[in-house]
Amino acid sequence: MAILKDTEREQLRQLVKACLLEISKLKIELKKCQKESSKIMIQEHTKLQEMNIVQETKLQNKEDENRKLMKLLEEKDSKIEELQKVKERFKLLTQKPKQDLTSFQSNIYLLLPEKEDNLKNLYDSIIDLGFNELTPQNFEHALRNLERKGYFRSREDNGIIMWKKVDKD
């Protein structure tokens, strides 16, 4: 290799120094950019977390509101169901009595459940329907009259009289 002249060597040395100085400046600039980028990322991450918390809160509020609305709907459905039962009972109470029954006997026949049951349970169910003045003795007498006319059937089961409605439509 040819020997460089001193001036060329000096120029080369100065060029290397300039390059190293430029590299040093670029490294400092890069570190600044990295720090700023890191700060911006931390800020963005913080903002994102805050937005996430706000969204979670909104979502929780919506879920709470949905639960309240579902509860209101269930209550409404329950009330509608109860009103339907009242409507059916009213229809039964206001219809024309069966030909061979009194209005009271017809009401008892129509309102009592289909399943076989003892006198006490049947009496409780008719009292629950609003026949508050009815005594157990009068109720049993009405059932016996309905049995005589073929609308109810009774049988004894271990000393307890069981009553069953007979379908007479």
Side-chain angles (χ1 to χ4, degrees), residues 153-165:
R153 185 175 58 236
S154 67
R155 67 175 183 84
E156 191 171 329
D157 184 23
N158 293 329
I160 298 172
I161 297 176
M162 301 298 286
W163 294 88
K164 172 106 172 100
K165 187 189 287 191

Side-chain angles (χ1 to χ4, degrees), residues 7 28 45 50 63 66-67 70 72 129 139 166:
T7 58
I28 292 171
H45 182 71
E50 289 170 358
E63 287 176 0
N66 281 345
R67 275 190 228 101
M70 289 301 291
L72 285 173
L129 293 173
F139 178 66
V166 176

